[in-house]
Amino acid sequence: MTINCAEACINGCVLGDQCPNQEYKAQASKFIHETSLEKILEMAQESVRKKQMAPPQWVLPED
């Protein structure tokens, strides 16, 4: 069974132990516990800044 985790798991994982993304959950948990909030906010601000500085990307419909 394949589900769209971005839609189905908005309020938490619906698959529990059957979730195919368990390894990412552990990585995310480790990152959150080992990284200060200030560092996470700094990384987020840098990401926003890079996106604002990037030229616009146009999505053209296929012919």
Side-chain angles (χ1 to χ4, degrees):
M1 176 177 154
T2 303
I3 66 167
N4 182 341
C5 293
E7 292 177 5
C9 303
I10 289 174
N11 296 318
C13 184
V14 296
L15 297 177
D17 291 338
Q18 302 300 315
C19 179
N21 299 311
Q22 287 293 330
E23 65 178 287
Y24 302 113
K25 180 180 174 183
Q27 290 174 358
S29 182
K30 181 180 178 194
F31 173 79
I32 290 169
H33 284 95
E34 293 180 355
T35 309
S36 70
L37 181 58
E38 290 79 18
K39 181 65 177 170
I40 293 172
L41 291 173
E42 181 183 310
M43 293 166 70
Q45 288 173 339
E46 180 65 19
S47 177
V48 168
R49 187 188 68 76
K50 284 181 181 179
K51 287 180 182 178
Q52 288 174 340
M53 299 295 287
Q57 294 182 348
W58 297 96
V59 178
L60 302 175
E62 302 266 339
D63 288 330

Tab-separated table of all heavy atoms in Angstrom:
chain	number	residue	atom	x	y	z
A	1	MET	N	0.843	-1.187	0.000
A	1	MET	CA	0.000	0.000	0.000
A	1	MET	C	0.880	1.239	0.000
A	1	MET	O	1.780	1.368	0.809
A	1	MET	CB	-0.896	-0.026	1.240
A	1	MET	CG	-1.737	1.198	1.406
A	1	MET	SD	-2.811	0.978	2.848
A	1	MET	CE	-3.044	2.654	3.266
A	2	THR	N	0.633	2.140	-0.926
A	2	THR	CA	1.392	3.378	-1.016
A	2	THR	C	0.482	4.547	-0.664
A	2	THR	O	-0.629	4.641	-1.177
A	2	THR	CB	1.938	3.573	-2.443
A	2	THR	OG1	2.739	2.442	-2.779
A	2	THR	CG2	2.780	4.813	-2.532
A	3	ILE	N	0.956	5.397	0.234
A	3	ILE	CA	0.178	6.575	0.590
A	3	ILE	C	1.037	7.814	0.400
A	3	ILE	O	2.262	7.740	0.355
A	3	ILE	CB	-0.335	6.525	2.048
A	3	ILE	CG1	0.831	6.595	3.046
A	3	ILE	CG2	-1.184	5.310	2.292
A	3	ILE	CD1	0.388	6.858	4.462
A	4	ASN	N	0.393	8.951	0.301
A	4	ASN	CA	1.099	10.220	0.208
A	4	ASN	C	1.266	10.736	1.631
A	4	ASN	O	0.328	11.283	2.214
A	4	ASN	CB	0.309	11.209	-0.654
A	4	ASN	CG	1.025	12.535	-0.816
A	4	ASN	OD1	1.916	12.874	-0.059
A	4	ASN	ND2	0.618	13.283	-1.821
A	5	CYS	N	2.459	10.550	2.181
A	5	CYS	CA	2.701	10.921	3.578
A	5	CYS	C	2.468	12.412	3.827
A	5	CYS	O	2.003	12.792	4.894
A	5	CYS	CB	4.129	10.548	3.987
A	5	CYS	SG	4.432	8.772	4.024
A	6	ALA	N	2.785	13.261	2.845
A	6	ALA	CA	2.612	14.705	3.015
A	6	ALA	C	1.150	15.062	3.254
A	6	ALA	O	0.856	16.036	3.942
A	6	ALA	CB	3.143	15.437	1.791
A	7	GLU	N	0.232	14.270	2.725
A	7	GLU	CA	-1.194	14.542	2.916
A	7	GLU	C	-1.785	13.707	4.057
A	7	GLU	O	-2.511	14.220	4.896
A	7	GLU	CB	-1.964	14.252	1.629
A	7	GLU	CG	-1.643	15.211	0.505
A	7	GLU	CD	-2.362	14.866	-0.785
A	7	GLU	OE1	-3.189	13.924	-0.776
A	7	GLU	OE2	-2.096	15.534	-1.787
A	8	ALA	N	-1.468	12.430	4.078
A	8	ALA	CA	-2.100	11.520	5.035
A	8	ALA	C	-1.571	11.681	6.459
A	8	ALA	O	-2.288	11.419	7.420
A	8	ALA	CB	-1.921	10.080	4.578
A	9	CYS	N	-0.334	12.117	6.590
A	9	CYS	CA	0.304	12.145	7.914
A	9	CYS	C	0.467	13.554	8.472
A	9	CYS	O	1.388	13.804	9.264
A	9	CYS	CB	1.648	11.433	7.846
A	9	CYS	SG	1.532	9.721	7.266
A	10	ILE	N	-0.408	14.460	8.082
A	10	ILE	CA	-0.300	15.849	8.551
A	10	ILE	C	-0.339	15.918	10.073
A	10	ILE	O	0.402	16.674	10.694
A	10	ILE	CB	-1.416	16.717	7.933
A	10	ILE	CG1	-1.151	16.919	6.450
A	10	ILE	CG2	-1.529	18.054	8.639
A	10	ILE	CD1	-2.254	17.644	5.713
A	11	ASN	N	-1.182	15.109	10.694
A	11	ASN	CA	-1.324	15.131	12.149
A	11	ASN	C	-0.522	14.023	12.829
A	11	ASN	O	-0.772	13.703	13.981
A	11	ASN	CB	-2.809	15.021	12.526
A	11	ASN	CG	-3.595	16.214	12.048
A	11	ASN	OD1	-3.148	17.342	12.153
A	11	ASN	ND2	-4.764	15.965	11.496
A	12	GLY	N	0.424	13.440	12.114
A	12	GLY	CA	1.234	12.360	12.653
A	12	GLY	C	1.176	11.155	11.730
A	12	GLY	O	0.266	11.021	10.922
A	13	CYS	N	2.149	10.286	11.847
A	13	CYS	CA	2.243	9.116	10.978
A	13	CYS	C	1.049	8.197	11.168
A	13	CYS	O	0.711	7.830	12.293
A	13	CYS	CB	3.538	8.363	11.264
A	13	CYS	SG	3.796	6.960	10.168
A	14	VAL	N	0.412	7.835	10.058
A	14	VAL	CA	-0.753	6.945	10.123
A	14	VAL	C	-0.356	5.478	9.999
A	14	VAL	O	-1.176	4.598	10.237
A	14	VAL	CB	-1.800	7.304	9.040
A	14	VAL	CG1	-2.356	8.689	9.269
A	14	VAL	CG2	-1.242	7.166	7.645
A	15	LEU	N	0.897	5.213	9.637
A	15	LEU	CA	1.336	3.829	9.454
A	15	LEU	C	2.052	3.255	10.667
A	15	LEU	O	2.268	2.050	10.754
A	15	LEU	CB	2.251	3.727	8.224
A	15	LEU	CG	1.611	4.069	6.888
A	15	LEU	CD1	2.642	3.995	5.777
A	15	LEU	CD2	0.448	3.154	6.596
A	16	GLY	N	2.465	4.107	11.588
A	16	GLY	CA	3.154	3.631	12.790
A	16	GLY	C	4.442	2.897	12.457
A	16	GLY	O	5.290	3.395	11.728
A	17	ASP	N	4.584	1.675	12.971
A	17	ASP	CA	5.801	0.891	12.754
A	17	ASP	C	5.961	0.432	11.308
A	17	ASP	O	7.038	-0.017	10.915
A	17	ASP	CB	5.819	-0.334	13.671
A	17	ASP	CG	5.990	0.061	15.131
A	17	ASP	OD1	6.496	1.170	15.388
A	17	ASP	OD2	5.612	-0.739	16.003
A	18	GLN	N	4.920	0.525	10.501
A	18	GLN	CA	4.984	0.123	9.093
A	18	GLN	C	5.458	1.270	8.193
A	18	GLN	O	5.553	1.113	6.982
A	18	GLN	CB	3.603	-0.345	8.626
A	18	GLN	CG	3.046	-1.500	9.427
A	18	GLN	CD	3.938	-2.729	9.376
A	18	GLN	OE1	4.422	-3.102	8.319
A	18	GLN	NE2	4.159	-3.352	10.520
A	19	CYS	N	5.749	2.415	8.775
A	19	CYS	CA	6.158	3.593	8.003
A	19	CYS	C	7.466	3.317	7.260
A	19	CYS	O	8.452	2.868	7.854
A	19	CYS	CB	6.341	4.787	8.931
A	19	CYS	SG	6.871	6.283	8.064
A	20	PRO	N	7.508	3.588	5.952
A	20	PRO	CA	8.733	3.359	5.183
A	20	PRO	C	9.807	4.412	5.445
A	20	PRO	O	10.925	4.284	4.979
A	20	PRO	CB	8.253	3.419	3.727
A	20	PRO	CG	7.050	4.302	3.774
A	20	PRO	CD	6.406	4.044	5.101
A	21	ASN	N	9.477	5.439	6.215
A	21	ASN	CA	10.420	6.534	6.460
A	21	ASN	C	10.996	6.523	7.877
A	21	ASN	O	11.412	7.554	8.379
A	21	ASN	CB	9.717	7.875	6.193
A	21	ASN	CG	9.246	7.977	4.764
A	21	ASN	OD1	9.993	7.714	3.835
A	21	ASN	ND2	7.991	8.342	4.580
A	22	GLN	N	11.044	5.367	8.523
A	22	GLN	CA	11.543	5.269	9.901
A	22	GLN	C	12.963	5.804	10.044
A	22	GLN	O	13.279	6.452	11.029
A	22	GLN	CB	11.482	3.812	10.391
A	22	GLN	CG	10.092	3.320	10.676
A	22	GLN	CD	9.440	4.003	11.861
A	22	GLN	OE1	10.096	4.436	12.798
A	22	GLN	NE2	8.129	4.112	11.812
A	23	GLU	N	13.823	5.523	9.062
A	23	GLU	CA	15.208	5.988	9.166
A	23	GLU	C	15.272	7.508	9.194
A	23	GLU	O	16.092	8.091	9.895
A	23	GLU	CB	16.056	5.443	8.018
A	23	GLU	CG	15.635	5.968	6.648
A	23	GLU	CD	16.515	5.450	5.517
A	23	GLU	OE1	17.655	5.899	5.413
A	23	GLU	OE2	16.032	4.590	4.772
A	24	TYR	N	14.386	8.168	8.470
A	24	TYR	CA	14.386	9.634	8.448
A	24	TYR	C	13.876	10.201	9.764
A	24	TYR	O	14.316	11.245	10.218
A	24	TYR	CB	13.543	10.146	7.279
A	24	TYR	CG	14.041	9.622	5.952
A	24	TYR	CD1	13.269	8.745	5.205
A	24	TYR	CD2	15.299	9.979	5.468
A	24	TYR	CE1	13.731	8.250	3.989
A	24	TYR	CE2	15.773	9.477	4.273
A	24	TYR	CZ	14.985	8.614	3.534
A	24	TYR	OH	15.443	8.120	2.350
A	25	LYS	N	12.953	9.484	10.392
A	25	LYS	CA	12.433	9.905	11.694
A	25	LYS	C	13.571	9.922	12.719
A	25	LYS	O	13.705	10.867	13.488
A	25	LYS	CB	11.325	8.948	12.130
A	25	LYS	CG	10.720	9.272	13.460
A	25	LYS	CD	9.629	8.264	13.800
A	25	LYS	CE	9.099	8.458	15.191
A	25	LYS	NZ	8.104	7.448	15.566
A	26	ALA	N	14.395	8.887	12.713
A	26	ALA	CA	15.520	8.810	13.642
A	26	ALA	C	16.535	9.909	13.351
A	26	ALA	O	17.063	10.537	14.279
A	26	ALA	CB	16.185	7.440	13.562
A	27	GLN	N	16.810	10.161	12.075
A	27	GLN	CA	17.754	11.212	11.704
A	27	GLN	C	17.238	12.579	12.128
A	27	GLN	O	17.987	13.406	12.646
A	27	GLN	CB	18.001	11.199	10.196
A	27	GLN	CG	18.787	10.009	9.704
A	27	GLN	CD	18.871	9.961	8.184
A	27	GLN	OE1	18.317	10.798	7.482
A	27	GLN	NE2	19.557	8.960	7.672
A	28	ALA	N	15.950	12.826	11.904
A	28	ALA	CA	15.358	14.114	12.274
A	28	ALA	C	15.378	14.308	13.784
A	28	ALA	O	15.702	15.390	14.281
A	28	ALA	CB	13.933	14.208	11.743
A	29	SER	N	15.051	13.258	14.517
A	29	SER	CA	15.053	13.333	15.976
A	29	SER	C	16.455	13.633	16.499
A	29	SER	O	16.635	14.478	17.377
A	29	SER	CB	14.538	12.027	16.560
A	29	SER	OG	14.502	12.095	17.959
A	30	LYS	N	17.453	12.971	15.946
A	30	LYS	CA	18.846	13.195	16.354
A	30	LYS	C	19.256	14.628	16.050
A	30	LYS	O	19.865	15.292	16.883
A	30	LYS	CB	19.760	12.211	15.622
A	30	LYS	CG	21.210	12.356	15.990
A	30	LYS	CD	22.083	11.365	15.241
A	30	LYS	CE	23.539	11.588	15.617
A	30	LYS	NZ	24.452	10.931	14.725
A	31	PHE	N	18.907	15.124	14.860
A	31	PHE	CA	19.249	16.495	14.472
A	31	PHE	C	18.627	17.497	15.443
A	31	PHE	O	19.289	18.424	15.910
A	31	PHE	CB	18.769	16.773	13.041
A	31	PHE	CG	18.917	18.198	12.618
A	31	PHE	CD1	20.151	18.683	12.219
A	31	PHE	CD2	17.840	19.061	12.628
A	31	PHE	CE1	20.302	20.001	11.832
A	31	PHE	CE2	17.978	20.382	12.249
A	31	PHE	CZ	19.206	20.858	11.850
A	32	ILE	N	17.348	17.302	15.770
A	32	ILE	CA	16.646	18.237	16.661
A	32	ILE	C	17.271	18.240	18.052
A	32	ILE	O	17.424	19.298	18.666
A	32	ILE	CB	15.145	17.890	16.727
A	32	ILE	CG1	14.498	18.236	15.380
A	32	ILE	CG2	14.452	18.624	17.863
A	32	ILE	CD1	13.088	17.707	15.216
A	33	HIS	N	17.651	17.068	18.537
A	33	HIS	CA	18.223	16.986	19.882
A	33	HIS	C	19.655	17.505	19.953
A	33	HIS	O	20.087	17.972	21.002
A	33	HIS	CB	18.158	15.542	20.395
A	33	HIS	CG	16.789	15.150	20.822
A	33	HIS	ND1	15.915	14.489	19.985
A	33	HIS	CD2	16.107	15.361	21.978
A	33	HIS	CE1	14.775	14.293	20.616
A	33	HIS	NE2	14.849	14.810	21.811
A	34	GLU	N	20.396	17.434	18.846
A	34	GLU	CA	21.805	17.818	18.866
A	34	GLU	C	22.071	19.223	18.332
A	34	GLU	O	23.195	19.692	18.403
A	34	GLU	CB	22.627	16.807	18.053
A	34	GLU	CG	22.653	15.432	18.686
A	34	GLU	CD	23.459	14.436	17.881
A	34	GLU	OE1	23.934	14.770	16.777
A	34	GLU	OE2	23.623	13.294	18.367
A	35	THR	N	21.041	19.890	17.797
A	35	THR	CA	21.230	21.196	17.188
A	35	THR	C	20.457	22.234	17.982
A	35	THR	O	19.281	22.052	18.276
A	35	THR	CB	20.742	21.185	15.725
A	35	THR	OG1	21.348	20.077	15.048
A	35	THR	CG2	21.109	22.468	15.013
A	36	SER	N	21.132	23.348	18.307
A	36	SER	CA	20.463	24.396	19.073
A	36	SER	C	19.397	25.075	18.218
A	36	SER	O	19.485	25.114	16.988
A	36	SER	CB	21.478	25.442	19.543
A	36	SER	OG	21.953	26.194	18.444
A	37	LEU	N	18.398	25.628	18.895
A	37	LEU	CA	17.330	26.334	18.193
A	37	LEU	C	17.897	27.512	17.412
A	37	LEU	O	17.468	27.788	16.290
A	37	LEU	CB	16.270	26.809	19.186
A	37	LEU	CG	15.080	27.549	18.586
A	37	LEU	CD1	14.362	26.679	17.557
A	37	LEU	CD2	14.119	27.995	19.672
A	38	GLU	N	18.881	28.181	17.969
A	38	GLU	CA	19.496	29.312	17.280
A	38	GLU	C	20.128	28.868	15.956
A	38	GLU	O	20.007	29.544	14.943
A	38	GLU	CB	20.557	29.987	18.167
A	38	GLU	CG	19.987	30.733	19.358
A	38	GLU	CD	19.601	29.815	20.514
A	38	GLU	OE1	20.066	28.653	20.571
A	38	GLU	OE2	18.799	30.257	21.355
A	39	LYS	N	20.788	27.715	15.953
A	39	LYS	CA	21.413	27.194	14.738
A	39	LYS	C	20.349	26.811	13.707
A	39	LYS	O	20.502	27.088	12.514
A	39	LYS	CB	22.300	25.982	15.078
A	39	LYS	CG	23.000	25.383	13.893
A	39	LYS	CD	24.007	26.352	13.293
A	39	LYS	CE	24.750	25.683	12.156
A	39	LYS	NZ	25.552	26.631	11.408
A	40	ILE	N	19.260	26.188	14.158
A	40	ILE	CA	18.182	25.805	13.247
A	40	ILE	C	17.570	27.055	12.617
A	40	ILE	O	17.322	27.096	11.412
A	40	ILE	CB	17.121	24.958	13.978
A	40	ILE	CG1	17.714	23.602	14.380
A	40	ILE	CG2	15.874	24.774	13.117
A	40	ILE	CD1	16.825	22.760	15.262
A	41	LEU	N	17.326	28.094	13.430
A	41	LEU	CA	16.774	29.346	12.907
A	41	LEU	C	17.735	30.012	11.936
A	41	LEU	O	17.322	30.561	10.912
A	41	LEU	CB	16.423	30.296	14.055
A	41	LEU	CG	15.250	29.861	14.925
A	41	LEU	CD1	15.107	30.782	16.130
A	41	LEU	CD2	13.972	29.821	14.116
A	42	GLU	N	19.023	29.958	12.230
A	42	GLU	CA	20.039	30.507	11.331
A	42	GLU	C	20.014	29.783	9.984
A	42	GLU	O	20.079	30.410	8.918
A	42	GLU	CB	21.416	30.369	11.987
A	42	GLU	CG	22.562	30.925	11.182
A	42	GLU	CD	23.887	30.680	11.894
A	42	GLU	OE1	23.992	30.994	13.097
A	42	GLU	OE2	24.822	30.157	11.237
A	43	MET	N	19.895	28.456	10.022
A	43	MET	CA	19.836	27.672	8.788
A	43	MET	C	18.584	28.024	7.984
A	43	MET	O	18.638	28.146	6.754
A	43	MET	CB	19.839	26.176	9.128
A	43	MET	CG	21.141	25.694	9.740
A	43	MET	SD	21.014	24.065	10.491
A	43	MET	CE	20.837	23.044	9.053
A	44	ALA	N	17.457	28.217	8.680
A	44	ALA	CA	16.214	28.563	8.002
A	44	ALA	C	16.309	29.945	7.357
A	44	ALA	O	15.880	30.140	6.215
A	44	ALA	CB	15.044	28.515	8.990
A	45	GLN	N	16.896	30.901	8.063
A	45	GLN	CA	17.052	32.250	7.509
A	45	GLN	C	17.951	32.230	6.284
A	45	GLN	O	17.693	32.937	5.303
A	45	GLN	CB	17.611	33.196	8.572
A	45	GLN	CG	16.617	33.533	9.650
A	45	GLN	CD	17.234	34.335	10.786
A	45	GLN	OE1	18.441	34.331	10.990
A	45	GLN	NE2	16.381	35.019	11.535
A	46	GLU	N	19.010	31.448	6.315
A	46	GLU	CA	19.914	31.341	5.177
A	46	GLU	C	19.193	30.734	3.980
A	46	GLU	O	19.361	31.173	2.837
A	46	GLU	CB	21.143	30.500	5.541
A	46	GLU	CG	22.136	30.328	4.422
A	46	GLU	CD	22.803	31.617	3.974
A	46	GLU	OE1	22.797	32.608	4.726
A	46	GLU	OE2	23.337	31.630	2.847
A	47	SER	N	18.359	29.737	4.221
A	47	SER	CA	17.600	29.108	3.148
A	47	SER	C	16.634	30.107	2.507
A	47	SER	O	16.526	30.180	1.283
A	47	SER	CB	16.832	27.908	3.688
A	47	SER	OG	16.042	27.328	2.687
A	48	VAL	N	15.951	30.875	3.328
A	48	VAL	CA	15.021	31.889	2.823
A	48	VAL	C	15.784	32.928	2.015
A	48	VAL	O	15.354	33.344	0.932
A	48	VAL	CB	14.231	32.550	3.977
A	48	VAL	CG1	13.480	33.787	3.504
A	48	VAL	CG2	13.277	31.549	4.602
A	49	ARG	N	16.930	33.361	2.522
A	49	ARG	CA	17.735	34.363	1.831
A	49	ARG	C	18.176	33.862	0.453
A	49	ARG	O	18.086	34.571	-0.543
A	49	ARG	CB	18.970	34.740	2.664
A	49	ARG	CG	19.765	35.915	2.081
A	49	ARG	CD	21.068	36.134	2.823
A	49	ARG	NE	22.011	35.049	2.627
A	49	ARG	CZ	22.733	34.858	1.526
A	49	ARG	NH1	22.625	35.661	0.507
A	49	ARG	NH2	23.576	33.844	1.435
A	50	LYS	N	18.609	32.592	0.382
A	50	LYS	CA	19.033	32.028	-0.897
A	50	LYS	C	17.885	31.971	-1.891
A	50	LYS	O	18.052	32.247	-3.071
A	50	LYS	CB	19.605	30.625	-0.695
A	50	LYS	CG	20.993	30.608	-0.119
A	50	LYS	CD	21.510	29.185	0.036
A	50	LYS	CE	22.891	29.156	0.630
A	50	LYS	NZ	23.376	27.779	0.795
A	51	LYS	N	16.693	31.606	-1.403
A	51	LYS	CA	15.531	31.539	-2.286
A	51	LYS	C	15.146	32.920	-2.790
A	51	LYS	O	14.734	33.079	-3.936
A	51	LYS	CB	14.349	30.882	-1.570
A	51	LYS	CG	14.530	29.403	-1.399
A	51	LYS	CD	13.359	28.761	-0.683
A	51	LYS	CE	13.615	27.278	-0.490
A	51	LYS	NZ	12.545	26.623	0.241
A	52	GLN	N	15.291	33.934	-1.954
A	52	GLN	CA	14.945	35.291	-2.360
A	52	GLN	C	15.949	35.831	-3.378
A	52	GLN	O	15.586	36.630	-4.234
A	52	GLN	CB	14.885	36.216	-1.145
A	52	GLN	CG	13.685	35.953	-0.264
A	52	GLN	CD	13.703	36.778	1.014
A	52	GLN	OE1	14.737	37.271	1.447
A	52	GLN	NE2	12.533	36.909	1.636
A	53	MET	N	17.190	35.402	-3.280
A	53	MET	CA	18.241	35.886	-4.174
A	53	MET	C	18.239	35.145	-5.518
A	53	MET	O	18.777	35.637	-6.498
A	53	MET	CB	19.619	35.730	-3.522
A	53	MET	CG	19.786	36.499	-2.227
A	53	MET	SD	19.721	38.274	-2.430
A	53	MET	CE	21.276	38.577	-3.209
A	54	ALA	N	17.644	33.972	-5.561
A	54	ALA	CA	17.636	33.168	-6.786
A	54	ALA	C	16.721	33.807	-7.830
A	54	ALA	O	15.700	34.399	-7.497
A	54	ALA	CB	17.161	31.752	-6.479
A	55	PRO	N	17.103	33.695	-9.096
A	55	PRO	CA	16.226	34.222	-10.145
A	55	PRO	C	14.941	33.415	-10.204
A	55	PRO	O	14.902	32.249	-9.829
A	55	PRO	CB	17.050	34.041	-11.429
A	55	PRO	CG	18.035	32.979	-11.106
A	55	PRO	CD	18.303	33.075	-9.636
A	56	PRO	N	13.862	34.049	-10.677
A	56	PRO	CA	12.600	33.312	-10.755
A	56	PRO	C	12.706	32.145	-11.728
A	56	PRO	O	13.414	32.212	-12.724
A	56	PRO	CB	11.602	34.352	-11.256
A	56	PRO	CG	12.405	35.472	-11.789
A	56	PRO	CD	13.759	35.407	-11.157
A	57	GLN	N	12.011	31.077	-11.423
A	57	GLN	CA	12.000	29.907	-12.302
A	57	GLN	C	10.594	29.798	-12.884
A	57	GLN	O	9.618	29.658	-12.161
A	57	GLN	CB	12.359	28.641	-11.520
A	57	GLN	CG	13.773	28.650	-11.022
A	57	GLN	CD	14.127	27.364	-10.295
A	57	GLN	OE1	13.278	26.569	-9.974
A	57	GLN	NE2	15.396	27.182	-10.043
A	58	TRP	N	10.542	29.876	-14.174
A	58	TRP	CA	9.252	29.815	-14.860
A	58	TRP	C	8.913	28.370	-15.190
A	58	TRP	O	9.742	27.606	-15.655
A	58	TRP	CB	9.314	30.640	-16.153
A	58	TRP	CG	9.557	32.079	-15.857
A	58	TRP	CD1	10.757	32.726	-15.867
A	58	TRP	CD2	8.597	33.060	-15.489
A	58	TRP	NE1	10.610	34.043	-15.517
A	58	TRP	CE2	9.275	34.274	-15.295
A	58	TRP	CE3	7.212	33.028	-15.304
A	58	TRP	CZ2	8.619	35.452	-14.911
A	58	TRP	CZ3	6.578	34.194	-14.933
A	58	TRP	CH2	7.269	35.379	-14.740
A	59	VAL	N	7.683	28.015	-14.969
A	59	VAL	CA	7.179	26.691	-15.313
A	59	VAL	C	6.270	26.863	-16.516
A	59	VAL	O	5.208	27.487	-16.409
A	59	VAL	CB	6.414	26.047	-14.148
A	59	VAL	CG1	5.865	24.697	-14.554
A	59	VAL	CG2	7.321	25.933	-12.931
A	60	LEU	N	6.703	26.372	-17.660
A	60	LEU	CA	5.938	26.517	-18.871
A	60	LEU	C	5.142	25.250	-19.148
A	60	LEU	O	5.653	24.144	-18.986
A	60	LEU	CB	6.873	26.806	-20.052
A	60	LEU	CG	7.749	28.062	-19.896
A	60	LEU	CD1	8.709	28.171	-21.063
A	60	LEU	CD2	6.892	29.301	-19.800
A	61	PRO	N	3.898	25.406	-19.575
A	61	PRO	CA	3.103	24.214	-19.875
A	61	PRO	C	3.688	23.477	-21.082
A	61	PRO	O	4.263	24.080	-21.977
A	61	PRO	CB	1.709	24.782	-20.186
A	61	PRO	CG	1.927	26.208	-20.511
A	61	PRO	CD	3.183	26.645	-19.809
A	62	GLU	N	3.505	22.185	-21.054
A	62	GLU	CA	3.978	21.361	-22.181
A	62	GLU	C	3.112	21.646	-23.411
A	62	GLU	O	1.920	21.926	-23.288
A	62	GLU	CB	3.864	19.880	-21.826
A	62	GLU	CG	4.646	19.500	-20.588
A	62	GLU	CD	6.029	18.993	-20.894
A	62	GLU	OE1	6.263	18.560	-22.029
A	62	GLU	OE2	6.873	19.028	-19.995
A	63	ASP	N	3.702	21.583	-24.576
A	63	ASP	CA	2.919	21.805	-25.804
A	63	ASP	C	2.106	20.584	-26.155
A	63	ASP	O	2.395	19.487	-25.933
A	63	ASP	CB	3.857	22.121	-26.986
A	63	ASP	CG	4.455	23.520	-26.831
A	63	ASP	OD1	3.789	24.374	-26.233
A	63	ASP	OD2	5.583	23.722	-27.331
